[in-house]
Amino acid sequence: MTQVIIDGDACPVTNSIIELTKGTGIFVTVVRSFSHFSTVIQPDHVNVIYVDDGPDAVDYRIVKLVHSDDLVVTQDYGLASLLLNKAKIVMHHKGFIYNQENINTLLEQRHASAQFRKSGGRTKGPAAFTEEDVSKFESVFSSLIHNYFLKTED
């Protein structure tokens, strides 16, 4: 059974994913820590799993949940690197797909930035997430689910 798994603590496209998978037969699993608890009632195709607030608890649960035909959405490069050989597709909420060619560069950049900050340097945070970013994600995500997950209906 195909599912979309969302690293849900800080994912700005969760609602887009839920909306775009409505009526497709694709299930969505949102994994969040208890500090991000919500009382919002989700549609039937959405399951929310809460885990302890400990470091990487969400990541560990996602690694346990993922299957080879799943699509995972995360902004965490470390988690993405762990999932590349486990999930069918691993993507960032800005719409790019993680792969063997780009993951090492992303991890190296993250490490270099962390080292720079550790030595007293300051780095800029990520750019603000815009409506244009949402549109780009939705376009890429829609293409992926139609090309990889809904092919049997064509």
Side-chain angles (χ1 to χ4, degrees):
M1 174 175 52
T2 297
Q3 68 177 330
V4 175
I5 300 174
I6 304 171
D7 183 352
D9 280 349
C11 184
V13 293
T14 300
N15 292 337
S16 295
I17 294 167
I18 291 169
E19 193 60 37
L20 291 168
T21 54
K22 250 185 214 173
T24 63
I26 297 172
F27 288 92
V28 176
T29 300
V30 182
V31 183
R32 291 184 174 140
S33 59
F34 280 113
S35 61
H36 291 89
F37 186 81
S38 171
T39 58
V40 173
I41 297 171
Q42 298 293 349
D44 289 342
H45 74 290
V46 179
N47 180 33
V48 181
I49 297 174
Y50 290 98
V51 298
D52 290 335
D53 288 332
D56 302 321
V58 169
D59 297 355
Y60 294 136
R61 179 60 66 92
I62 291 171
V63 169
K64 285 173 92 172
L65 288 172
V66 74
H67 293 98
S68 61
D69 56 348
D70 294 337
L71 184 155
V72 180
V73 178
T74 183
Q75 66 181 341
D76 183 327
Y77 301 160
L79 176 59
S81 71
L82 294 173
L83 297 175
L84 281 179
N85 292 323
K86 278 191 89 161
K88 185 173 199 115
I89 299 168
V90 184
M91 71 182 297
H92 190 275
H93 66 253
K94 286 206 171 184
F96 68 84
I97 309 299
Y98 296 103
N99 58 46
Q100 297 298 343
E101 289 75 44
N102 67 18
I103 195 66
N104 286 334
T105 302
L106 294 168
L107 289 169
E108 287 168 9
Q109 289 170 345
R110 181 180 79 167
H111 177 72
S113 293
Q115 292 300 104
F116 181 67
R117 287 190 303 275
K118 199 174 191 181
S119 68
R122 291 181 56 133
T123 56
K124 288 174 61 175
F129 195 72
T130 66
E131 283 300 316
E132 188 176 314
D133 292 325
V134 173
S135 294
K136 179 180 179 196
F137 173 85
E138 289 177 348
S139 174
V140 172
F141 182 80
S142 292
S143 293
L144 289 172
I145 63 172
H146 288 296
N147 291 333
Y148 291 99
F149 301 104
L150 301 176
K151 260 187 156 173
T152 56
E153 294 177 12
D154 291 345

